[in-house]
Amino acid sequence: MTERRTRYARDPLGLKRALSDRLLPGLVAAMALLAALALAGSRGAAALKERWQQGAAAAVTVQLPPEQAGRMDDALALLRAMPGVASAEAVDSARMRELLRPWLGEVPALPLPSVLELRLENLNIDPAPIGRQLAEAVPGAELEAHGIWVARLAALARSVQGVALAVLALVVGVAVAVVAVATRAGLASRRQAIEILHDLGATQGDIAGRFARRIGLLAAGGALAGAALAVPTLGAMASLAAPLSGGVVQPWSALPWLDLLMLPPVAGAIGWATAQFSVRRWLKRLP
């Protein structure tokens, strides 16, 4: 009897029975998993866009025809002396054959053009004058900039980032709706107890605070479970994306750990605020 009275004193509204400790955390866990994937997708797209813009956009390829292969040193000297060129290096023939093997197979007798790779000091430099000056000195030389392709890839990355942020906003909206529905269900099931406490002098803040604390803890626990489920999923995705980032960074170190750690407190805060608003609005309708 004493134990029952103690539990009643701690939970006079019976919220542990009114608010399920399985359904709501399960729903929040699923939404936290989706939020983690959306955040990781947004950050990954932004990182890839930055890498493409800083790497490929500054790279320019120069191709010399086979008959001009003997003038490789002249071309390199000319390019290195040009303003705006940070570096100019010849691409090794073995590397060329390795790059062409998936399309051409083993063709050791095939004459390959001489290829040079340039790095520009500034992404805004127009490489066309460099190509014209080189073609005048070495007939047949062709310059190819990657700016168009990089711009398209950057646009694709921005689109992916926008979709990820839209998904995150949708997840937050659904989370608010789920918490509001759960709160209203708890209020309806404990209406009589709430009216009794209200008549005895309990304020709206007291009642709303009890609901908000309970739902905030449930939401935070569900988000913690969702974040834990997201770790192996994001780790596998980071391993698949490692070649796109150069394969230098370890997949686990590339995970958005700060975002994952922030999910439980943010979910708890959303649950607490939504419950506070829902309960106070409901209590205003009491006679």
Side-chain angles (χ1 to χ4, degrees), residues 8-287:
Y8 180 80
R10 292 178 180 178
D11 187 21
L13 295 176
L15 297 182
K16 290 185 178 181
R17 298 189 303 273
L19 299 174
S20 173
D21 58 356
R22 294 183 180 181
L23 179 60
L24 181 59
L27 293 174
V28 174
M31 287 181 285
L33 176 60
L34 292 177
L37 296 178
L39 287 170
S42 176
R43 293 192 178 275
L48 286 178
K49 182 184 69 174
E50 184 69 18
R51 178 177 177 81
W52 289 334
Q53 289 180 336
Q54 296 298 327
V60 179
T61 302
V62 174
Q63 178 178 315
L64 303 181
E67 61 270 16
Q68 298 289 355
R71 304 193 60 184
M72 173 76 74
D73 294 336
D74 296 338
L76 284 173
L78 178 62
L79 290 170
R80 288 168 180 170
M82 290 183 182
V85 176
S87 65
E89 301 294 338
V91 179
D92 185 71
S93 59
R95 181 185 171 194
M96 283 290 299
R97 295 184 187 280
E98 186 68 25
L99 294 173
L100 294 174
R101 183 175 291 115
W103 292 272
L104 302 180
E106 295 290 346
V107 283
L110 180 69
L112 297 177
S114 300
V115 177
L116 294 80
E117 188 177 57
L118 309 183
R119 289 285 172 175
L120 303 180
E121 295 178 349
N122 192 336
L123 298 179
N124 298 322
I125 294 177
D126 184 8
I130 299 175
R132 288 194 295 267
Q133 188 175 349
L134 179 63
E136 293 175 358
V138 182
E142 297 181 359
L143 183 144
E144 180 180 354
H146 308 304
I148 297 177
W149 293 104
V150 172
R152 293 177 180 176
L153 291 174
L156 175 61
R158 285 193 296 269
S159 299
V160 173
Q161 192 175 11
V163 171
L165 293 177
V167 170
L168 180 62
L170 180 62
V171 168
V172 172
V174 173
V176 170
V178 167
V179 171
V181 170
T183 303
R184 289 181 178 275
L187 289 169
S189 64
R190 307 305 299 168
R191 181 185 180 93
Q192 186 175 4
I194 293 173
E195 290 178 347
I196 292 174
L197 286 178
H198 190 264
D199 292 339
L200 292 176
T203 64
Q204 292 186 2
D206 294 334
I207 299 173
R210 291 181 180 276
F211 270 89
R213 284 192 296 272
R214 174 65 176 169
I215 289 183
L217 289 175
L218 293 178
L224 180 62
L229 291 174
V231 170
T233 304
L234 295 178
M237 294 175 63
S239 299
L240 294 176
L244 298 177
S245 60
V248 178
V249 181
Q250 294 297 325
W252 294 111
S253 63
L255 296 187
W257 291 109
L258 181 59
D259 293 338
L260 294 175
L261 292 175
M262 287 299 296
L263 281 177
V266 169
I270 291 175
W272 183 90
T274 304
Q276 280 275 359
F277 176 79
S278 299
V279 173
R280 288 177 181 274
R281 186 177 179 181
W282 185 86
L283 290 175
K284 288 180 180 179
R285 300 175 183 176
L286 291 181

